[in-house]
Amino acid sequence: MSERGHDPHAIDGKFPAPSQHYHTVVIGGGTSGTQAALKAATNGTRVLLVDENPVSGALIGTDVPFFFGGRATTAVQNRERMVETVFMNMPWLEPAFEAGIDVQLATTAWGVYRNGPLVGSLPGQVVGLADADRSWLVGFDKLVIATGARDLPLAFPGWNQPGVMGAKALAMLLERYDAFAGRQIAVVGSHDLGLETALLALSKGLEVLAIFEVRDAVQGNADLAAQVAAAGIPVRCGVTPVEAKGGLDGVEALVLSDGTALDCDSVVMAVGLVPMIELNDAANGPRRFDANRGGWLPETSENIAFAGSCAGLADTGFDHAAYRQDWMDALGGACGGDTIICQCEEMTLADLTGLQPPRYLDRPPALQQRSLKTLLQDGPPNQDQVKRLTRTGMGQCQGRRCRDQVAMILAAEAGKSLAEVPLSTHRAPVRPLSLKVIADWEESDEMRAGWDVWMGIPTQWVPYADIGTPYEEENRRRLGGAMAL
Amino acid sequence: MSAQKVVVVGAGASGLSAAWWLARAGVAVTVLDKGIVGWEASGRNGGGCSHYQSPLFKEEQRLWPQMDELLGYPTEFSPERIVMAVTPRQLEQYHYIAEMNNRLGHRVDLLDASQVREAVPLAGDNCLGGIHYRFGGHANPHRTVQAYAWALQDLGGRIVQHSPVTGFQMAGGKVTAVESTSGTYECDAVVIAAGPQTGNLAAQLGIDLPLANARAEMIVTEPAPMMKLGGVDGNGLYGRQTLRGNLAYGGGPHEWVEFGDLGPEVKPSTPLTRNLARRLAELLPGAAHLGVIRSWAGVIEMTPDGRPVIDRRENVTVCTMSGVGFGLSPASGHAISDLVLEGKCSFTDIEKLGLSRFDGIEADWRTSKGWLAL
Ligand SMILES: Cc1cc2nc3c(=O)[nH]c(=O)nc-3n(C[C@H](O)[C@H](O)[C@H](O)COP(=O)(O)OP(=O)(O)OC[C@H]3O[C@@H](n4cnc5c(N)ncnc54)[C@H](O)[C@@H]3O)c2cc1C
């Protein structure tokens, strides 16, 4: 047996141990996350609780992590004031401070890394964190992900303008940021989420003009429905939006399926929420599909647990997937081929179903013969494959605005259920972080010394004609043995 | 010519290109893949096509500018590259690369810092100069693999996805059929271009092909303003600006890995994302404020000398590209098709890419090199 050699350009030993380590790290400082942190903090264990709010104005502008729809006020640009506001609006954090928990606001968790299949080089399990200026890694024994649920937007004509937004984004802007720019809203969806959204808006002094419902009866629970009725908010069943019309500042009116129109400045999509599973997914954690709990759910794996709606919406026996489908059928029916599906990449419904590339490429005749249908003759649907070809879902919102509806479109086209279409992957960083922020400016000497552009195998880049000539040795000498660019 | 019916194992860039060349020659081709076309390294790479070290270089360079037309589908090929330095050591190395290429007749120009900044507006004051390859370039891996696949179908070739090859039937020392989960496919000749799995499959046929597998990673940013030339390397990175404007970059340490016969199910990335981001922010300071929106990883297989193998034994042609197979694919497919049909490459000498160079290699060569999983 030979002795084990050493490859200086391999990753071995180049990742230093993280400088901070906590017994438990909790991601998400809502009430569930805070409770989880408090539970972990008994007996003096070191606990870190991070919450990404307030997120930067720039992220809000790209609808990350919620579908803000351009309806945040300029207050979100003032970071320091925003941190104060958000902090004041999270009174449940008080006991966490008292319990000695390290609480960090405006701190984003963007990746979870652990050794496992295909990775053995990490000094331990770590979570990647970042604030406005820098990123760092934190080691943990236990991780609790309590990131909540995010908006599920659905396309209809005019949805890609300021004023069309999500229920979760509205709640955030009203309850935590004090920074909602609209006044007169229409709510899409009358299940619990829609009714709660309407009541919240009303309590914050907004005018709630109507709630629209695709089915022929109010879907939410009787108690909420009674409160909405008592508040005099009309629920218009069997009536759905067909187009949002607007001007420079976005939505001014909503055209409806019964031929009428409603003047409003904001249309709040409250059709459903999706558990935020991206951190777990990027860490290749297990998941399962449960239509009654909001779709794909993360499953507990070694040292990673979930709390709150991130673990799944409350199961009230309501089939969220079927409800979304009804909405999609109605709103999708109003879409033309030219309706934008992917806002980041400006890809239309016709581009998606035609499997066409962006407009900066030619569409030669052979390509125009291809479509989602022909692709599905070659194999089962895969959203990532469609994403690679059409760029739908590939943009800077990281697919948040369109991935769910693209999955539904794919499932419908393939005649499959949503659970049978593989989820489009989530990859770190699960929030867009600038190069200079995510960069490791304090990397190890080993990393610097062993860095090579590609494998670092001296013989690989020797020109064919030079093999076995003195030039081979010269190449090795001059390039430090490799393409050590 | 004897081969009327050929089965290709592996729908990566190499296998698909080979199948496409064979179909152009009138052969009935079936390509079998364990997954989706181009789902492995061929759809996860940097898209670079400037392999001056390869015997296939001239053919690579001849073909790329024509590929959109030949295939009938866009590949996003964009010609030429710039390699720019931000340290004196890098500049010295790049100048040597320029000197070496010019000696071999591949034109490379030297650029001073201001010339680089003019061509690469995202470069910064830290740029010390660079070199300009008047050849090579980059293409979009996803589009290219799908273009091969569609072009092959247009010629009557068949692609069977989700159909892992499990074995071979032999008669008289020749492969007569390929067995897969979707059925048995008779053939006059077989091509094994199965990436990291090429070694195991070849071993079933008594062909020794030493390979070790490594994980490599890349990151991509949101779109930046379009630069005149998108193929910009340097500071330890390779990569490209996509035609949409995104900066997709990779480089740095690889990890030697181990997995089962069908390859790894997941391809996690690591905190190397941060080291890549740092180098990209140094290389292109004008882009430092751009958001990183994704990272990914892929697996590459390496021979002990890091050079490809394209060779034939009986009616079996094997191809493994040692991490430079995307750019070379138009040419490697041509060479494979030549080997299958004529027994030898028609356009260049590829003798040194043969299997025999590893005859008698120590069984534990990976141990002595340290090419082992952690
Ligand atoms: C991060 C990264 C960056 C890179 N950058 C570049 C670059 O800039 N330029 C460049 O030229 N190269 C680059 N490469 C290398 C390049 O991607 C590969 O060399 C090339 O794609 C290899 O193509 P292939 O077809 O030979 O193999 P693969 O792409 O690995 O394809 C092999 C196929 O065989 C299939 N298969 C395996 N086993 C079986 C089985 N039993 N039955 C059926 N099918 C099977 C697989 O599913 C796969 O589709 C990079 C690679 C990586 C990972």
Side-chain angles (χ1 to χ4, degrees):
Chain A
M1 271 299 274
S2 315
E3 239 175 78
R4 180 170 178 151
H6 174 64
D7 174 359
H9 301 294
I11 193 77
D12 319 21
K14 293 187 174 56
F15 288 130
S19 52
Q20 296 176 35
H21 185 98
Y22 290 84
H23 178 272
T24 301
V25 176
V26 180
I27 302 167
T31 48
S32 320
T34 306
Q35 260 168 35
L38 281 168
K39 214 168 127 196
T42 50
N43 310 327
T45 35
R46 257 168 76 77
V47 177
L48 172 66
L49 173 62
V50 300
D51 192 284
E52 66 183 327
N53 293 292
V55 299
S56 71
L59 276 196
I60 287 177
T62 48
D63 291 329
V64 178
F66 307 116
F67 187 35
F68 293 103
R71 278 294 181 256
T73 64
T74 51
V76 299
Q77 304 297 342
N78 185 334
R79 200 167 176 87
E80 267 169 41
R81 267 199 35 214
M82 246 324 126
V83 173
E84 272 173 40
T85 305
V86 163
F87 180 65
M88 296 240 308
N89 287 330
M90 297 171 78
W92 57 86
L93 288 177
E94 197 59 43
F97 283 103
E98 278 162 17
I101 294 168
D102 193 350
V103 180
Q104 296 177 10
L105 294 189
T107 302
T108 300
W110 50 268
V112 175
Y113 301 102
R114 28 180 194 176
N115 288 325
L118 223 61
V119 178
S121 52
L122 299 171
Q125 47 192 5
V126 292
V127 51
L129 301 178
D131 61 19
D133 304 315
R134 65 183 195 103
S135 68
W136 65 98
L137 302 177
V138 169
F140 62 85
D141 296 331
K142 301 255 178 260
L143 185 69
V144 180
I145 302 183
T147 43
R150 63 171 171 80
D151 290 308
L152 171 91
L154 293 174
F156 62 95
W159 78 298
N160 53 326
Q161 66 184 315
V164 180
M165 64 182 307
K168 183 76 193 191
L170 178 72
M172 272 287 166
L173 292 178
L174 289 175
E175 293 187 301
R176 280 213 211 166
Y177 287 69
D178 296 342
F180 177 58
R183 302 220 52 79
Q184 299 180 305
I185 70 166
V187 175
V188 179
S190 79
H191 187 239
D192 296 352
L193 176 69
L195 303 180
E196 284 162 1
T197 300
L199 291 168
L200 169 68
L202 200 66
S203 76
K204 295 284 180 180
L206 302 179
E207 210 178 322
V208 183
L209 302 170
I211 298 172
F212 296 100
E213 174 49 49
V214 65
R215 293 180 175 170
D216 52 16
V218 177
Q219 298 295 300
N221 74 51
D223 183 35
L224 288 170
Q227 291 180 51
V228 164
I233 302 171
V235 182
R236 297 173 63 182
C237 294
V239 181
T240 56
V242 295
E243 185 178 3
K245 290 214 185 266
L248 265 185
D249 295 328
V251 174
E252 290 168 355
L254 189 61
V255 183
L256 299 156
S257 58
D258 64 0
T260 64
L262 182 72
D263 288 345
C264 59
D265 56 49
S266 304
V267 178
V268 184
M269 312 272 317
V271 168
L273 296 179
V274 183
M276 284 218 252
I277 65 166
E278 59 260 53
L279 274 172
N280 180 56
D281 212 32
N284 293 305
R287 56 165 186 258
R288 71 192 165 90
F289 192 87
D290 185 339
N292 284 4
R293 300 195 62 196
W296 289 102
L297 311 181
E299 286 200 282
T300 301
S301 59
E302 207 187 340
N303 306 324
I304 304 187
F306 303 88
S309 47
C310 160
L313 309 180
D315 188 350
T316 59
F318 185 74
D319 183 338
H320 288 280
Y323 185 56
R324 285 165 200 178
Q325 192 60 50
D326 286 353
W327 269 110
M328 182 133 122
D329 292 346
L331 296 174
C335 291
D338 62 348
T339 303
I340 295 285
I341 292 291
C342 173
Q343 296 194 22
C344 294
E345 302 297 304
E346 298 188 326
M347 297 306 288
T348 65
L349 182 58
D351 294 334
L352 174 65
T353 54
L355 203 71
Q356 295 300 304
R359 287 286 166 185
Y360 52 76
L361 291 179
D362 287 340
R363 298 177 174 185
L367 185 54
Q368 290 179 41
Q369 299 298 309
R370 300 279 169 177
S371 67
L372 209 45
K373 278 218 155 58
T374 65
L375 191 76
L376 290 171
Q377 287 161 11
D378 293 338
N382 184 296
Q383 189 170 347
D384 285 327
Q385 186 182 25
V386 172
K387 174 171 100 179
R388 290 167 170 204
L389 295 173
T390 64
R391 292 194 67 93
T392 307
M394 220 183 208
Q396 70 195 114
C397 82
Q398 299 179 312
R400 285 181 177 79
R401 287 184 289 215
C402 72
R403 60 186 299 141
D404 304 290
Q405 50 186 327
V406 171
M408 287 163 78
I409 292 170
L410 266 180
E413 194 89 25
K416 294 191 177 256
S417 78
L418 210 48
E420 293 171 287
V421 178
L423 184 71
S424 179
T425 51
H426 296 96
R427 308 284 314 200
V430 300
R431 300 286 182 275
L433 292 179
S434 71
L435 286 168
K436 63 175 182 238
V437 165
I438 200 171
D440 183 0
W441 296 105
E442 291 157 11
E443 67 186 18
S444 68
D445 292 343
E446 290 81 2
M447 184 66 82
R448 283 203 89 68
W451 191 278
D452 189 89
V453 68
W454 193 237
M455 304 303 294
I457 302 168
T459 38
Q460 178 157 48
W461 298 96
V462 176
Y464 193 73
D466 290 352
I467 296 174
T469 73
Y471 286 121
E472 187 162 0
E473 178 47 33
E474 181 186 88
N475 189 295
R476 184 187 296 257
R477 196 164 40 79
R478 300 285 293 272
L479 294 181
M483 271 256 284
L485 299 180
Chain B
M1 192 204 85
S2 57
Q4 305 293 328
K5 242 199 282 180
V6 177
V7 171
V8 176
V9 186
S14 310
L16 287 170
S17 173
W20 173 70
W21 279 97
L22 287 163
R24 291 175 86 204
V27 173
V29 199
T30 300
V31 183
L32 302 174
D33 199 284
K34 66 179 169 64
I36 297 174
V37 291
W39 214 244
E40 301 302 330
S42 296
R44 298 166 184 272
N45 61 71
C49 0
S50 324
H51 298 104
Y52 54 75
Q53 81 281 14
S54 173
L56 303 171
F57 174 66
K58 281 214 173 70
E59 185 69 353
E60 175 192 48
Q61 298 307 308
R62 180 181 79 85
L63 287 166
W64 268 112
Q66 315 175 40
M67 288 311 280
D68 282 25
E69 206 170 317
L70 291 174
L71 297 171
Y73 300 88
T75 64
E76 297 189 26
F77 173 71
S78 312
E80 307 195 359
R81 296 191 80 87
I82 283 178
V83 188
M84 50 174 278
V86 300
T87 70
R89 166 87 179 117
Q90 289 165 5
L91 193 63
E92 201 184 302
Q93 289 185 325
Y94 304 163
H95 282 172
Y96 171 70
I97 291 173
E99 178 193 316
M100 174 178 76
N101 272 290
N102 284 318
R103 167 171 60 78
L104 293 163
H106 319 147
R107 178 175 163 195
V108 178
D109 297 341
L110 302 189
L111 304 180
D112 64 26
S114 65
Q115 287 170 313
V116 173
R117 280 192 287 268
E118 177 162 345
V120 185
L122 297 172
D125 294 339
N126 60 345
C127 171
L128 300 178
I131 60 175
H132 184 168
Y133 293 1
R134 297 299 183 148
F135 56 82
H138 60 96
N140 178 331
H142 308 151
R143 258 182 234 300
T144 303
V145 283
Q146 194 64 59
Y148 280 128
W150 283 338
L152 172 63
Q153 288 178 330
D154 291 346
L155 291 172
R158 196 167 153 216
I159 301 170
V160 187
Q161 302 184 113
H162 307 288
S163 176
V165 167
T166 50
F168 303 91
Q169 292 175 9
M170 313 274 298
K174 290 188 166 38
V175 174
T176 54
V178 179
E179 292 168 351
S180 85
T181 54
S182 67
T184 299
Y185 298 82
E186 284 177 14
C187 61
D188 305 317
V190 63
V191 174
I192 305 179
Q197 282 73 39
T198 306
N200 295 342
L201 290 167
Q204 292 193 31
L205 299 169
I207 299 172
D208 250 355
L209 174 55
L211 288 179
N213 301 315
R215 190 194 69 245
E217 301 182 36
M218 294 189 74
I219 60 170
V220 65
T221 70
E222 61 190 315
M226 288 304 291
M227 301 191 288
K228 248 187 280 173
L229 195 149
V232 179
D233 301 319
N235 196 32
L237 301 176
Y238 61 87
R240 65 188 190 107
Q241 179 173 43
T242 69
L243 293 190
R244 170 72 170 95
N246 316 75
L247 304 171
Y249 278 81
H254 49 278
E255 178 163 344
W256 296 107
V257 292
E258 209 85 60
F259 40 76
D261 270 359
L262 288 183
E265 262 172 46
V266 295
K267 294 176 187 78
S269 30
T270 70
L272 193 70
T273 292
R274 302 178 68 221
N275 309 91
L276 290 167
R278 174 206 179 123
R279 278 169 181 73
L280 187 49
E282 288 169 347
L283 181 75
L284 303 174
H289 64 288
L290 291 179
V292 177
I293 56 175
R294 253 186 328 275
S295 64
W296 68 88
V299 174
I300 37 180
E301 74 283 3
M302 280 284 153
T303 61
D305 59 12
R307 292 173 189 146
V309 168
I310 300 178
D311 202 354
R312 177 174 154 179
R313 290 281 184 274
E314 295 291 344
N315 67 342
V316 179
T317 303
V318 294
C319 166
T320 171
M321 293 305 291
S322 282
V324 291
F326 173 75
L328 288 171
S329 62
S332 61
H334 190 185
I336 294 167
S337 157
D338 282 353
L339 283 190
V340 172
L341 298 178
E342 315 292 343
K344 112 183 241 312
C345 178
S346 65
F347 56 89
T348 191
D349 153 48
I350 56 168
E351 196 62 37
K352 291 180 231 173
L353 301 187
L355 283 161
S356 60
R357 69 186 195 269
F358 302 120
D359 285 352
I361 189 169
E362 314 256 320
D364 63 352
W365 65 274
R366 290 177 52 200
T367 307
S368 48
K369 281 181 174 290
W371 290 12
L372 296 174
L374 293 168

